[in-house]
Amino acid sequence: MNADQLCGLLAEPSRLRTYSAIVLGAATPEQVAGSTGLAAPVVAKALQRLTKGGLIEASRDGFSADPGVFKDVVRESRPEWVPLDPDPARDNVLRSFIRDGRLTHFPTFPDKYQVVLEYIVQAFEVGRSYPETEVNELLNRFHPDHAALRRGLVDARLLTRENSVYTRTT
């Protein structure tokens, strides 16, 4: 089952109410009808569709639902995890501050800020000279406050600056 199928099964209000009643403990069609206020034929149709869709199961004890199906669908729909750094500790820091290649906020701890700056400086080629406008353009890809990033990279000695020309040092 994928997210579209799951949402499709629950998009109909009568099926959603039926599923909710089962999750909350209703096990028979009569109990579902009693707790949802739905007519018996509507409940029967909803139970049939939810069972066929794999969202609920029927047994001799009645109907039951496994809410774990939601976790399974979320896991299947996630893109494959690719580390931002081969070192797990550094990757963990980067995952806290980098989303979709952009810096979400500036770390307040110097060690974490250093890890983020070392990640960002990889956008620059070692030894190549960059005019300030190009540096700003590259840094804007990470965060709109390119001046703070530029200053951080220079202060961390990851970029050098001379006459508004920047060079990556390491």
Side-chain angles (χ1 to χ4, degrees), residues 101-113:
R102 303 222 4 112
L103 180 63
T104 58
H105 58 287
F106 287 83
T108 55
F109 291 101
D111 291 345
K112 291 180 180 183
Y113 190 45

PDB file of all heavy atoms in Angstrom, residues 101-113:
ATOM      1  N   GLY A 101      19.454  20.886   1.268  1.00  0.00           N
ATOM      2  CA  GLY A 101      20.615  21.650   0.828  1.00  0.00           C
ATOM      3  C   GLY A 101      20.676  23.079   1.341  1.00  0.00           C
ATOM      4  O   GLY A 101      21.558  23.845   0.957  1.00  0.00           O
ATOM      5  N   ARG A 102      19.749  23.467   2.208  1.00  0.00           N
ATOM      6  CA  ARG A 102      19.715  24.842   2.722  1.00  0.00           C
ATOM      7  C   ARG A 102      19.906  24.841   4.230  1.00  0.00           C
ATOM      8  O   ARG A 102      19.464  23.931   4.925  1.00  0.00           O
ATOM      9  CB  ARG A 102      18.382  25.509   2.372  1.00  0.00           C
ATOM     10  CG  ARG A 102      18.122  25.495   0.894  1.00  0.00           C
ATOM     11  CD  ARG A 102      17.563  26.701   0.229  1.00  0.00           C
ATOM     12  NE  ARG A 102      17.325  27.915   0.914  1.00  0.00           N
ATOM     13  CZ  ARG A 102      18.013  29.025   0.696  1.00  0.00           C
ATOM     14  NH1 ARG A 102      18.993  29.051  -0.161  1.00  0.00           N
ATOM     15  NH2 ARG A 102      17.694  30.124   1.319  1.00  0.00           N
ATOM     16  N   LEU A 103      20.565  25.874   4.715  1.00  0.00           N
ATOM     17  CA  LEU A 103      20.781  26.066   6.144  1.00  0.00           C
ATOM     18  C   LEU A 103      19.481  26.607   6.749  1.00  0.00           C
ATOM     19  O   LEU A 103      18.998  27.669   6.348  1.00  0.00           O
ATOM     20  CB  LEU A 103      21.939  27.049   6.356  1.00  0.00           C
ATOM     21  CG  LEU A 103      22.330  27.376   7.784  1.00  0.00           C
ATOM     22  CD1 LEU A 103      22.832  26.141   8.512  1.00  0.00           C
ATOM     23  CD2 LEU A 103      23.401  28.462   7.782  1.00  0.00           C
ATOM     24  N   THR A 104      18.905  25.865   7.690  1.00  0.00           N
ATOM     25  CA  THR A 104      17.633  26.284   8.283  1.00  0.00           C
ATOM     26  C   THR A 104      17.828  27.371   9.329  1.00  0.00           C
ATOM     27  O   THR A 104      17.004  28.264   9.450  1.00  0.00           O
ATOM     28  CB  THR A 104      16.908  25.094   8.927  1.00  0.00           C
ATOM     29  OG1 THR A 104      17.754  24.505   9.922  1.00  0.00           O
ATOM     30  CG2 THR A 104      16.534  24.056   7.879  1.00  0.00           C
ATOM     31  N   HIS A 105      18.912  27.267  10.093  1.00  0.00           N
ATOM     32  CA  HIS A 105      19.253  28.284  11.090  1.00  0.00           C
ATOM     33  C   HIS A 105      20.714  28.107  11.475  1.00  0.00           C
ATOM     34  O   HIS A 105      21.305  27.061  11.244  1.00  0.00           O
ATOM     35  CB  HIS A 105      18.329  28.216  12.313  1.00  0.00           C
ATOM     36  CG  HIS A 105      18.331  26.891  13.018  1.00  0.00           C
ATOM     37  ND1 HIS A 105      17.739  25.754  12.511  1.00  0.00           N
ATOM     38  CD2 HIS A 105      18.884  26.514  14.196  1.00  0.00           C
ATOM     39  CE1 HIS A 105      17.913  24.752  13.343  1.00  0.00           C
ATOM     40  NE2 HIS A 105      18.610  25.178  14.374  1.00  0.00           N
ATOM     41  N   PHE A 106      21.271  29.128  12.053  1.00  0.00           N
ATOM     42  CA  PHE A 106      22.683  29.126  12.422  1.00  0.00           C
ATOM     43  C   PHE A 106      22.868  28.420  13.766  1.00  0.00           C
ATOM     44  O   PHE A 106      22.164  28.732  14.725  1.00  0.00           O
ATOM     45  CB  PHE A 106      23.226  30.552  12.521  1.00  0.00           C
ATOM     46  CG  PHE A 106      23.420  31.217  11.192  1.00  0.00           C
ATOM     47  CD1 PHE A 106      22.366  31.836  10.540  1.00  0.00           C
ATOM     48  CD2 PHE A 106      24.670  31.217  10.581  1.00  0.00           C
ATOM     49  CE1 PHE A 106      22.538  32.442   9.306  1.00  0.00           C
ATOM     50  CE2 PHE A 106      24.854  31.828   9.352  1.00  0.00           C
ATOM     51  CZ  PHE A 106      23.784  32.426   8.710  1.00  0.00           C
ATOM     52  N   PRO A 107      23.816  27.491  13.830  1.00  0.00           N
ATOM     53  CA  PRO A 107      24.098  26.850  15.123  1.00  0.00           C
ATOM     54  C   PRO A 107      24.640  27.865  16.125  1.00  0.00           C
ATOM     55  O   PRO A 107      25.367  28.786  15.753  1.00  0.00           O
ATOM     56  CB  PRO A 107      25.196  25.820  14.778  1.00  0.00           C
ATOM     57  CG  PRO A 107      25.127  25.646  13.302  1.00  0.00           C
ATOM     58  CD  PRO A 107      24.617  26.931  12.742  1.00  0.00           C
ATOM     59  N   THR A 108      24.285  27.685  17.375  1.00  0.00           N
ATOM     60  CA  THR A 108      24.778  28.590  18.417  1.00  0.00           C
ATOM     61  C   THR A 108      26.047  28.059  19.073  1.00  0.00           C
ATOM     62  O   THR A 108      26.800  28.832  19.647  1.00  0.00           O
ATOM     63  CB  THR A 108      23.706  28.827  19.501  1.00  0.00           C
ATOM     64  OG1 THR A 108      23.290  27.565  20.012  1.00  0.00           O
ATOM     65  CG2 THR A 108      22.520  29.583  18.938  1.00  0.00           C
ATOM     66  N   PHE A 109      26.273  26.760  18.984  1.00  0.00           N
ATOM     67  CA  PHE A 109      27.490  26.180  19.547  1.00  0.00           C
ATOM     68  C   PHE A 109      28.606  26.256  18.518  1.00  0.00           C
ATOM     69  O   PHE A 109      28.437  25.833  17.373  1.00  0.00           O
ATOM     70  CB  PHE A 109      27.261  24.728  19.976  1.00  0.00           C
ATOM     71  CG  PHE A 109      26.351  24.594  21.163  1.00  0.00           C
ATOM     72  CD1 PHE A 109      25.022  24.241  20.996  1.00  0.00           C
ATOM     73  CD2 PHE A 109      26.821  24.838  22.445  1.00  0.00           C
ATOM     74  CE1 PHE A 109      24.179  24.125  22.083  1.00  0.00           C
ATOM     75  CE2 PHE A 109      25.991  24.721  23.538  1.00  0.00           C
ATOM     76  CZ  PHE A 109      24.663  24.368  23.360  1.00  0.00           C
ATOM     77  N   PRO A 110      29.763  26.792  18.900  1.00  0.00           N
ATOM     78  CA  PRO A 110      30.874  26.971  17.954  1.00  0.00           C
ATOM     79  C   PRO A 110      31.295  25.688  17.230  1.00  0.00           C
ATOM     80  O   PRO A 110      31.571  25.721  16.035  1.00  0.00           O
ATOM     81  CB  PRO A 110      32.011  27.521  18.823  1.00  0.00           C
ATOM     82  CG  PRO A 110      31.323  28.155  19.986  1.00  0.00           C
ATOM     83  CD  PRO A 110      30.089  27.345  20.226  1.00  0.00           C
ATOM     84  N   ASP A 111      31.329  24.565  17.936  1.00  0.00           N
ATOM     85  CA  ASP A 111      31.749  23.320  17.294  1.00  0.00           C
ATOM     86  C   ASP A 111      30.773  22.908  16.192  1.00  0.00           C
ATOM     87  O   ASP A 111      31.177  22.430  15.128  1.00  0.00           O
ATOM     88  CB  ASP A 111      31.867  22.189  18.314  1.00  0.00           C
ATOM     89  CG  ASP A 111      33.029  22.396  19.285  1.00  0.00           C
ATOM     90  OD1 ASP A 111      33.900  23.241  18.998  1.00  0.00           O
ATOM     91  OD2 ASP A 111      33.064  21.704  20.327  1.00  0.00           O
ATOM     92  N   LYS A 112      29.497  23.090  16.442  1.00  0.00           N
ATOM     93  CA  LYS A 112      28.493  22.744  15.435  1.00  0.00           C
ATOM     94  C   LYS A 112      28.535  23.731  14.269  1.00  0.00           C
ATOM     95  O   LYS A 112      28.388  23.344  13.110  1.00  0.00           O
ATOM     96  CB  LYS A 112      27.092  22.715  16.055  1.00  0.00           C
ATOM     97  CG  LYS A 112      26.916  21.564  17.025  1.00  0.00           C
ATOM     98  CD  LYS A 112      25.536  21.537  17.629  1.00  0.00           C
ATOM     99  CE  LYS A 112      25.414  20.366  18.597  1.00  0.00           C
ATOM    100  NZ  LYS A 112      24.067  20.268  19.157  1.00  0.00           N
ATOM    101  N   TYR A 113      28.754  24.991  14.571  1.00  0.00           N
ATOM    102  CA  TYR A 113      28.864  26.002  13.523  1.00  0.00           C
ATOM    103  C   TYR A 113      30.053  25.690  12.616  1.00  0.00           C
ATOM    104  O   TYR A 113      29.972  25.811  11.396  1.00  0.00           O
ATOM    105  CB  TYR A 113      28.990  27.391  14.150  1.00  0.00           C
ATOM    106  CG  TYR A 113      28.884  28.544  13.176  1.00  0.00           C
ATOM    107  CD1 TYR A 113      27.898  28.580  12.199  1.00  0.00           C
ATOM    108  CD2 TYR A 113      29.766  29.612  13.250  1.00  0.00           C
ATOM    109  CE1 TYR A 113      27.805  29.648  11.314  1.00  0.00           C
ATOM    110  CE2 TYR A 113      29.679  30.683  12.378  1.00  0.00           C
ATOM    111  CZ  TYR A 113      28.690  30.693  11.413  1.00  0.00           C
ATOM    112  OH  TYR A 113      28.602  31.750  10.529  1.00  0.00           O
TER     113      TYR A 113
END
